[in-house]
Amino acid sequence: MKTAIFSSAIAIFATLATALPAAAPAESGVGNLAPRDHVKQVISSSTVVNINEDTPDTALGVSWTGIVSRANGKHNSQALVKFDFPEGLNGYKCRLAFGNPIHFSGTGEIQVYTIGDANIESATFNQRPFRDQFKGTFRVAGWGEAVVVDGSGLTFDCPAKGPKAYEVVSVGDNNEVVWYAPWGGLRIDVL
């Protein structure tokens, strides 16, 4: 009974969170971003896998919570995030976005990279898909939308149906960004 109530509450919160309007990016030098009201569809992550430098050979498994941090020049925690793109997006642009963290401290900055494989469920810090292309940098400065610091690769042609995964890493030291994947964190906006 408690599980059903909790699941219902999470579903309600997730619905409310997606209905809230978001502020436009505060940085003015980013020219490839469309206003939030031009978003046709939002694709939320289907899988989040945290990997940790302190337990480099341990698969932490799929989680609802993404954790990206770095402390004292080490103790890296990174998140691998998978999205399942639906059919019918040919001709549309997609944009990576980040918002609604549950905790942040330090610089609040994170970077996003494509990775070489979407099979991330059993990944570890030492055994993970290769980091491929830099997509952009966000600064989490509040509880809503993150500020785009470098949006050079955030907007791209939407891929054909299927999974695609990204790696989210900390920028700077003594930094932490945490999100609850069902209603926050990294997402794809279809423009």
Side-chain angles (χ1 to χ4, degrees):
M1 179 70 174
K2 288 181 183 180
T3 302
I5 292 171
F6 181 73
S7 296
S8 296
I10 294 299
I12 290 168
F13 286 128
T15 302
L16 291 173
T18 59
L20 292 174
E27 297 287 320
S28 61
V30 182
N32 66 342
L33 301 178
R36 179 108 168 113
D37 60 349
H38 290 108
V39 173
K40 295 175 181 21
Q41 179 180 354
V42 174
I43 303 171
S44 298
S45 59
S46 60
T47 307
V48 175
V49 173
N50 296 301
I51 55 176
N52 190 297
E53 181 180 32
D54 294 336
T55 55
D57 296 314
T58 302
L60 302 176
V62 175
S63 176
W64 290 107
T65 305
I67 301 169
V68 174
S69 65
R70 180 177 170 92
N72 301 321
K74 49 188 174 185
H75 309 294
N76 285 298
S77 289
Q78 298 160 351
L80 306 179
V81 183
K82 179 166 61 173
F83 296 90
D84 292 316
F85 286 87
E87 288 186 58
L89 296 181
N90 288 353
Y92 287 99
K93 292 288 187 182
C94 283
R95 177 184 64 208
L96 287 160
F98 190 94
N100 304 310
I102 58 174
H103 172 77
F104 59 95
S105 63
T107 67
E109 288 193 10
I110 55 174
Q111 289 184 329
V112 180
Y113 294 85
T114 59
I115 57 176
D117 191 353
N119 296 314
I120 61 172
E121 289 78 359
S122 61
T124 69
F125 197 85
N126 286 340
Q127 293 279 317
R128 58 182 161 169
F130 67 91
R131 187 182 292 175
D132 196 9
Q133 296 178 341
F134 170 76
K135 298 306 278 181
T137 304
F138 296 99
R139 180 183 309 116
V140 176
W143 303 112
E145 288 298 301
V147 174
V148 175
V149 175
D150 181 344
S152 58
L154 294 178
T155 302
F156 53 95
D157 292 331
C158 293
K161 177 184 176 181
K164 184 140 180 78
Y166 299 86
E167 183 176 5
V168 183
V169 302
S170 174
V171 176
D173 206 7
N174 299 320
N175 184 40
E176 183 175 51
V177 176
V178 180
W179 68 93
Y180 184 63
W183 56 265
L186 193 64
R187 68 174 189 276
I188 305 285
D189 292 339
V190 179
L191 309 176

